[in-house]
Amino acid sequence: MDTEPRWLTPVEERAWRGMMRMHDLVVSEAGRVMQSEFGLSGADYPVLAELTRAPGARLRILELTRVLGWEKSRVSHQLARMVKRGLLARDECAEDGRGAYVMVTPAGRAAIEAAAPRHAEDVRRLLLDHLTPGQVTMLAEISETIIGKIGDTPR
């Protein structure tokens, strides 16, 4: 039995396209600033941010992959580049011998500590300052709902 596709309504399409365009603009501009002022790529910053939030500033690579929501190959390539640049180090997992940890080096910590104040300023300048407090709360709730639903779905 063929079913008719559930096409987006004009408002739904506007919401989808607007969210995608907003994401691209904010991420692109924030990444440009991180690269030009701190030598960090748009992908370096979230890796360093997640690792510095973790106990001991280290995570198993599979856990970092899950937290970032990236494909395993993307994480692997990104980590290799960051290790090569001295921002991260890898350590084998003694508990099971299969996994590995990735940790922030002193150079990585210095890089994120230098970049974090500008990053926070950019998040405000590019996104939060254009919203009311209620809209910020609503955006947080919408984001958490979608992330929770997609995170619960088997892939």
Side-chain angles (χ1 to χ4, degrees):
M1 180 168 135
D2 290 329
T3 60
E4 183 67 25
R6 292 181 53 213
W7 298 112
L8 301 180
T9 67
V11 171
E12 291 168 339
E13 185 168 348
R14 190 174 130 225
W16 171 250
R17 289 177 179 269
M19 190 257 329
M20 293 299 294
R21 181 74 175 132
M22 176 186 66
H23 171 269
D24 292 348
L25 285 170
V26 171
V27 169
S28 176
E29 178 62 15
R32 186 192 63 73
V33 170
M34 283 296 111
Q35 185 67 55
S36 67
E37 293 189 19
F38 302 100
L40 295 174
S41 73
D44 292 340
Y45 192 89
V47 170
L48 289 170
E50 292 301 337
L51 286 171
T52 55
R53 286 186 192 105
R58 74 183 214 153
L59 285 171
R60 288 188 64 148
I61 293 173
L62 286 177
E63 178 63 13
L64 180 62
T65 300
R66 187 193 64 74
V67 169
L68 291 170
W70 294 357
E71 294 293 326
K72 188 176 174 182
S73 63
R74 178 181 180 193
V75 172
S76 179
H77 291 296
Q78 180 64 34
L79 296 181
R81 287 188 294 270
M82 293 176 77
V83 166
K84 187 174 182 178
R85 290 171 39 224
L87 299 171
L88 303 177
R90 292 173 82 115
D91 189 24
E92 296 308 311
C93 181
E95 293 90 49
D96 68 14
R98 296 177 300 164
Y101 286 97
V102 64
M103 64 204 72
V104 178
T105 63
R109 181 161 301 279
I112 194 158
E113 286 175 356
R118 178 57 195 260
H119 175 71
E121 178 184 316
D122 286 343
V123 170
R124 289 189 181 287
R125 177 179 62 85
L126 296 168
L127 180 68
L128 301 175
D129 287 349
H130 305 289
L131 303 173
T132 66
Q135 288 172 321
V136 172
T137 299
M138 186 178 297
L139 179 60
E141 290 170 357
I142 290 167
S143 299
E144 290 163 358
T145 297
I146 300 302
I147 291 166
K149 295 296 182 186
I150 293 172
D152 292 344
T153 304
R155 293 184 186 180

